[in-house]
Amino acid sequence: MKKDIKKVLFVATECNPFWATGGLGDVIGSLPGALRNAGVDARVMLPLFEKSLDKAGLTRLGQITVPLAWRNQSCGIYTTQRGGVTYYFVENEYYFKRPAIYGEYDDGERFAFFSRAVWEILRFLDYKPDVVHSNDWQTALVPIYHKLIYRDFDKTKDVFTIHNIEYQGKFDRAILGDVFGIDEEHYSLLDFDGCINLVKGAMEVCDALTTVSPTYAQQLSDNYYAMGLGAIVAKNSHKLRGILNGIDEDLYDPSKASGIFAPFDAADLSGKAENKHELQRLLNLPLSDAPMLAVISRLASHKGIDLIKNTLDEILKEDVQLVVLGTGEKSYEEYFSHMQQTVPGKVSAIIAFNKDLAQKVYAASDIFLMPSKSEPCGLSQMIACRFGSIPVVRATGGLKDSIKHYTKKSGNGFVFDGYNGGEFLAAVRKAIGCYRTDKWHELRHNAMTSDFGWSKSARAYIKIYKELTK
Ligand code: GLC
């Protein structure tokens, strides 16, 4: 019997190792490979952001014209293979050869072009995937265009994944015909609260809707977590599944990681102490064995930075050091820089997005603070565990699904429920207290050996693909 190999095309705007601004890039950089290993023909299509990737190293497959309302835009098609996965790149210098990936005045037009190009390229390549799997608002037009325009792909199914419902792709109504090239008669499909909402449209038309943890999937029925889209989630809840993200366990392996000062693993932790001392030297902190707390995060309110801010004076009364790495809201950036000035031997704040330094901080630190207000999945808490930095997290979204509170023998971190300074501080104190006891070794061992690989979740995705295409 011929083996039924599913053809799944991922469509996204971020993918490691090419470029990423957050967790989406990690997921698109590792899930397709895991699906490949499980027997799926998974491929990935991305815009070619030329600032991050030189097309000289890619193979050119051809050139087509992509219609976008009254425009006809040229589109180069490039490809490469990495680790058994085929990547396609959509080239248009006008849209994608820019300094920034996002935040341009015409993002709506740029990603509408990309979304139409996806289908035009599939026609050009005569490649008919069983499933097109789109991710977040930038590719929300992919399933929408499929249903409205590309009816020749009648056997292809659409999966849409929400990595964070905060970003919905909202636009003024005027963009519908003039930029997206969609008839007024379809306005109601994309309309939400008087404006165009691409995530809403994708939720309505997709065949399966997923998000990145079971708890976040549940929370999305609450209008607060759904950022206003609660009614649309409820209407489409029969299609919704929450599947916990994994991480690339080879990439985030302290025995192999290239950017850290010394390798280590769960059986031999001597290198961990070296990482701490080298980072203290680098950051001008006193050489000390006091617990080192770390924050590696976008400095945004939903990451729970207020809880850290409001309890920091108390936390710093303990014998600890704090390293903060991240960028974001000005007021938070200024606050942490100010704290570094005020308490120089204890606080180091690096206001930057620096992946290399992030690895070093994961490897050096003992306790990882992530008290998010909401967190669809979160990958940092998993990476921290792998590097033996014990997470203190709030029980929300994927944090709740990946970190279990340490009691006696089991558990890989410290978990608190209520979004308030008191509960957070108590959890931090528990972690600091435990650091000084023999229990710490057991806890750290649990954390470092937690299963954060993709195999279980890849099986959950495959189940969806099979259900859709049987
Ligand atoms: C978004 C979410 C984060 C998740 C990531 C990957 O960045 O905010 O929680 O881990 O996507 O799915």
Side-chain angles (χ1 to χ4, degrees), residues 18-37:
F18 306 115
W19 57 81
T21 70
L24 173 66
D26 272 297
V27 172
I28 305 302
S30 52
L31 171 58
L35 289 168
R36 270 258 151 192
N37 293 338

PDB file of all heavy atoms in Angstrom, residues 18-37:
ATOM      1  N   PHE A  18      16.935  32.170   9.548  1.00  0.00           N
ATOM      2  CA  PHE A  18      17.046  33.279   8.599  1.00  0.00           C
ATOM      3  C   PHE A  18      16.831  34.627   9.291  1.00  0.00           C
ATOM      4  O   PHE A  18      17.638  35.520   9.179  1.00  0.00           O
ATOM      5  CB  PHE A  18      16.047  33.093   7.460  1.00  0.00           C
ATOM      6  CG  PHE A  18      16.185  31.744   6.788  1.00  0.00           C
ATOM      7  CD1 PHE A  18      15.168  30.805   6.856  1.00  0.00           C
ATOM      8  CD2 PHE A  18      17.350  31.404   6.117  1.00  0.00           C
ATOM      9  CE1 PHE A  18      15.292  29.564   6.253  1.00  0.00           C
ATOM     10  CE2 PHE A  18      17.494  30.160   5.511  1.00  0.00           C
ATOM     11  CZ  PHE A  18      16.461  29.233   5.592  1.00  0.00           C
ATOM     12  N   TRP A  19      15.697  34.771   9.955  1.00  0.00           N
ATOM     13  CA  TRP A  19      15.435  35.992  10.733  1.00  0.00           C
ATOM     14  C   TRP A  19      14.266  35.717  11.674  1.00  0.00           C
ATOM     15  O   TRP A  19      13.434  34.858  11.403  1.00  0.00           O
ATOM     16  CB  TRP A  19      15.107  37.195   9.837  1.00  0.00           C
ATOM     17  CG  TRP A  19      13.943  36.931   8.959  1.00  0.00           C
ATOM     18  CD1 TRP A  19      12.630  37.016   9.299  1.00  0.00           C
ATOM     19  CD2 TRP A  19      13.984  36.478   7.599  1.00  0.00           C
ATOM     20  NE1 TRP A  19      11.845  36.638   8.234  1.00  0.00           N
ATOM     21  CE2 TRP A  19      12.640  36.306   7.186  1.00  0.00           C
ATOM     22  CE3 TRP A  19      15.007  36.229   6.699  1.00  0.00           C
ATOM     23  CZ2 TRP A  19      12.313  35.875   5.902  1.00  0.00           C
ATOM     24  CZ3 TRP A  19      14.671  35.794   5.435  1.00  0.00           C
ATOM     25  CH2 TRP A  19      13.346  35.627   5.044  1.00  0.00           C
ATOM     26  N   ALA A  20      14.221  36.452  12.781  1.00  0.00           N
ATOM     27  CA  ALA A  20      13.130  36.293  13.737  1.00  0.00           C
ATOM     28  C   ALA A  20      13.092  37.519  14.625  1.00  0.00           C
ATOM     29  O   ALA A  20      14.114  38.158  14.859  1.00  0.00           O
ATOM     30  CB  ALA A  20      13.347  35.054  14.594  1.00  0.00           C
ATOM     31  N   THR A  21      11.892  37.859  15.076  1.00  0.00           N
ATOM     32  CA  THR A  21      11.794  38.927  16.077  1.00  0.00           C
ATOM     33  C   THR A  21      11.248  38.356  17.373  1.00  0.00           C
ATOM     34  O   THR A  21      11.170  39.045  18.372  1.00  0.00           O
ATOM     35  CB  THR A  21      10.862  40.073  15.615  1.00  0.00           C
ATOM     36  OG1 THR A  21       9.513  39.567  15.624  1.00  0.00           O
ATOM     37  CG2 THR A  21      11.197  40.574  14.234  1.00  0.00           C
ATOM     38  N   GLY A  22      10.821  37.097  17.345  1.00  0.00           N
ATOM     39  CA  GLY A  22      10.262  36.497  18.558  1.00  0.00           C
ATOM     40  C   GLY A  22      10.026  35.012  18.385  1.00  0.00           C
ATOM     41  O   GLY A  22      10.608  34.379  17.489  1.00  0.00           O
ATOM     42  N   GLY A  23       9.127  34.488  19.219  1.00  0.00           N
ATOM     43  CA  GLY A  23       8.884  33.048  19.269  1.00  0.00           C
ATOM     44  C   GLY A  23       8.398  32.443  17.950  1.00  0.00           C
ATOM     45  O   GLY A  23       8.688  31.284  17.649  1.00  0.00           O
ATOM     46  N   LEU A  24       7.657  33.238  17.157  1.00  0.00           N
ATOM     47  CA  LEU A  24       7.171  32.727  15.876  1.00  0.00           C
ATOM     48  C   LEU A  24       8.322  32.181  15.031  1.00  0.00           C
ATOM     49  O   LEU A  24       8.225  31.107  14.432  1.00  0.00           O
ATOM     50  CB  LEU A  24       6.437  33.849  15.123  1.00  0.00           C
ATOM     51  CG  LEU A  24       6.004  33.536  13.692  1.00  0.00           C
ATOM     52  CD1 LEU A  24       4.949  32.442  13.659  1.00  0.00           C
ATOM     53  CD2 LEU A  24       5.452  34.797  13.015  1.00  0.00           C
ATOM     54  N   GLY A  25       9.427  32.916  15.008  1.00  0.00           N
ATOM     55  CA  GLY A  25      10.592  32.496  14.221  1.00  0.00           C
ATOM     56  C   GLY A  25      11.175  31.177  14.711  1.00  0.00           C
ATOM     57  O   GLY A  25      11.642  30.354  13.921  1.00  0.00           O
ATOM     58  N   ASP A  26      11.134  30.960  16.018  1.00  0.00           N
ATOM     59  CA  ASP A  26      11.606  29.694  16.583  1.00  0.00           C
ATOM     60  C   ASP A  26      10.709  28.541  16.152  1.00  0.00           C
ATOM     61  O   ASP A  26      11.184  27.463  15.794  1.00  0.00           O
ATOM     62  CB  ASP A  26      11.598  29.756  18.124  1.00  0.00           C
ATOM     63  CG  ASP A  26      12.894  30.313  18.675  1.00  0.00           C
ATOM     64  OD1 ASP A  26      13.924  29.673  18.458  1.00  0.00           O
ATOM     65  OD2 ASP A  26      12.868  31.390  19.305  1.00  0.00           O
ATOM     66  N   VAL A  27       9.399  28.786  16.230  1.00  0.00           N
ATOM     67  CA  VAL A  27       8.447  27.723  15.907  1.00  0.00           C
ATOM     68  C   VAL A  27       8.550  27.342  14.422  1.00  0.00           C
ATOM     69  O   VAL A  27       8.659  26.163  14.084  1.00  0.00           O
ATOM     70  CB  VAL A  27       7.006  28.163  16.263  1.00  0.00           C
ATOM     71  CG1 VAL A  27       5.982  27.158  15.758  1.00  0.00           C
ATOM     72  CG2 VAL A  27       6.880  28.324  17.777  1.00  0.00           C
ATOM     73  N   ILE A  28       8.552  28.354  13.546  1.00  0.00           N
ATOM     74  CA  ILE A  28       8.605  28.046  12.114  1.00  0.00           C
ATOM     75  C   ILE A  28       9.984  27.480  11.752  1.00  0.00           C
ATOM     76  O   ILE A  28      10.148  26.749  10.785  1.00  0.00           O
ATOM     77  CB  ILE A  28       8.273  29.304  11.257  1.00  0.00           C
ATOM     78  CG1 ILE A  28       6.917  29.886  11.686  1.00  0.00           C
ATOM     79  CG2 ILE A  28       8.249  28.980   9.772  1.00  0.00           C
ATOM     80  CD1 ILE A  28       5.739  28.928  11.593  1.00  0.00           C
ATOM     81  N   GLY A  29      10.972  27.787  12.578  1.00  0.00           N
ATOM     82  CA  GLY A  29      12.312  27.242  12.348  1.00  0.00           C
ATOM     83  C   GLY A  29      12.474  25.812  12.840  1.00  0.00           C
ATOM     84  O   GLY A  29      13.474  25.160  12.517  1.00  0.00           O
ATOM     85  N   SER A  30      11.539  25.305  13.635  1.00  0.00           N
ATOM     86  CA  SER A  30      11.751  23.953  14.164  1.00  0.00           C
ATOM     87  C   SER A  30      10.590  22.972  13.946  1.00  0.00           C
ATOM     88  O   SER A  30      10.816  21.781  13.768  1.00  0.00           O
ATOM     89  CB  SER A  30      12.098  24.021  15.656  1.00  0.00           C
ATOM     90  OG  SER A  30      11.143  24.779  16.367  1.00  0.00           O
ATOM     91  N   LEU A  31       9.350  23.457  13.907  1.00  0.00           N
ATOM     92  CA  LEU A  31       8.218  22.530  13.738  1.00  0.00           C
ATOM     93  C   LEU A  31       8.249  21.792  12.385  1.00  0.00           C
ATOM     94  O   LEU A  31       8.067  20.568  12.352  1.00  0.00           O
ATOM     95  CB  LEU A  31       6.891  23.279  13.956  1.00  0.00           C
ATOM     96  CG  LEU A  31       5.610  22.538  13.623  1.00  0.00           C
ATOM     97  CD1 LEU A  31       5.472  21.229  14.410  1.00  0.00           C
ATOM     98  CD2 LEU A  31       4.384  23.416  13.883  1.00  0.00           C
ATOM     99  N   PRO A  32       8.497  22.490  11.260  1.00  0.00           N
ATOM    100  CA  PRO A  32       8.508  21.756   9.984  1.00  0.00           C
ATOM    101  C   PRO A  32       9.536  20.612   9.974  1.00  0.00           C
ATOM    102  O   PRO A  32       9.243  19.531   9.454  1.00  0.00           O
ATOM    103  CB  PRO A  32       8.853  22.841   8.954  1.00  0.00           C
ATOM    104  CG  PRO A  32       8.334  24.099   9.575  1.00  0.00           C
ATOM    105  CD  PRO A  32       8.604  23.949  11.046  1.00  0.00           C
ATOM    106  N   GLY A  33      10.687  20.824  10.583  1.00  0.00           N
ATOM    107  CA  GLY A  33      11.702  19.764  10.647  1.00  0.00           C
ATOM    108  C   GLY A  33      11.196  18.578  11.461  1.00  0.00           C
ATOM    109  O   GLY A  33      11.408  17.416  11.092  1.00  0.00           O
ATOM    110  N   ALA A  34      10.507  18.883  12.562  1.00  0.00           N
ATOM    111  CA  ALA A  34       9.970  17.807  13.398  1.00  0.00           C
ATOM    112  C   ALA A  34       8.896  17.027  12.630  1.00  0.00           C
ATOM    113  O   ALA A  34       8.811  15.799  12.725  1.00  0.00           O
ATOM    114  CB  ALA A  34       9.378  18.390  14.675  1.00  0.00           C
ATOM    115  N   LEU A  35       8.095  17.741  11.836  1.00  0.00           N
ATOM    116  CA  LEU A  35       7.067  17.063  11.039  1.00  0.00           C
ATOM    117  C   LEU A  35       7.706  16.189   9.966  1.00  0.00           C
ATOM    118  O   LEU A  35       7.252  15.083   9.687  1.00  0.00           O
ATOM    119  CB  LEU A  35       6.141  18.100  10.389  1.00  0.00           C
ATOM    120  CG  LEU A  35       5.200  18.828  11.362  1.00  0.00           C
ATOM    121  CD1 LEU A  35       4.541  20.026  10.684  1.00  0.00           C
ATOM    122  CD2 LEU A  35       4.135  17.876  11.902  1.00  0.00           C
ATOM    123  N   ARG A  36       8.778  16.693   9.374  1.00  0.00           N
ATOM    124  CA  ARG A  36       9.559  15.921   8.409  1.00  0.00           C
ATOM    125  C   ARG A  36      10.000  14.596   9.016  1.00  0.00           C
ATOM    126  O   ARG A  36       9.841  13.539   8.433  1.00  0.00           O
ATOM    127  CB  ARG A  36      10.846  16.680   8.067  1.00  0.00           C
ATOM    128  CG  ARG A  36      10.721  17.586   6.934  1.00  0.00           C
ATOM    129  CD  ARG A  36      11.342  16.960   5.700  1.00  0.00           C
ATOM    130  NE  ARG A  36      10.610  17.522   4.593  1.00  0.00           N
ATOM    131  CZ  ARG A  36      10.669  17.098   3.350  1.00  0.00           C
ATOM    132  NH1 ARG A  36      11.444  16.092   3.017  1.00  0.00           N
ATOM    133  NH2 ARG A  36       9.956  17.662   2.420  1.00  0.00           N
ATOM    134  N   ASN A  37      10.567  14.701  10.237  1.00  0.00           N
ATOM    135  CA  ASN A  37      11.042  13.489  10.911  1.00  0.00           C
ATOM    136  C   ASN A  37       9.906  12.514  11.172  1.00  0.00           C
ATOM    137  O   ASN A  37      10.126  11.315  11.306  1.00  0.00           O
ATOM    138  CB  ASN A  37      11.726  13.834  12.242  1.00  0.00           C
ATOM    139  CG  ASN A  37      13.015  14.602  12.009  1.00  0.00           C
ATOM    140  OD1 ASN A  37      13.597  14.540  10.925  1.00  0.00           O
ATOM    141  ND2 ASN A  37      13.458  15.343  13.020  1.00  0.00           N
TER     142      ASN A  37
END
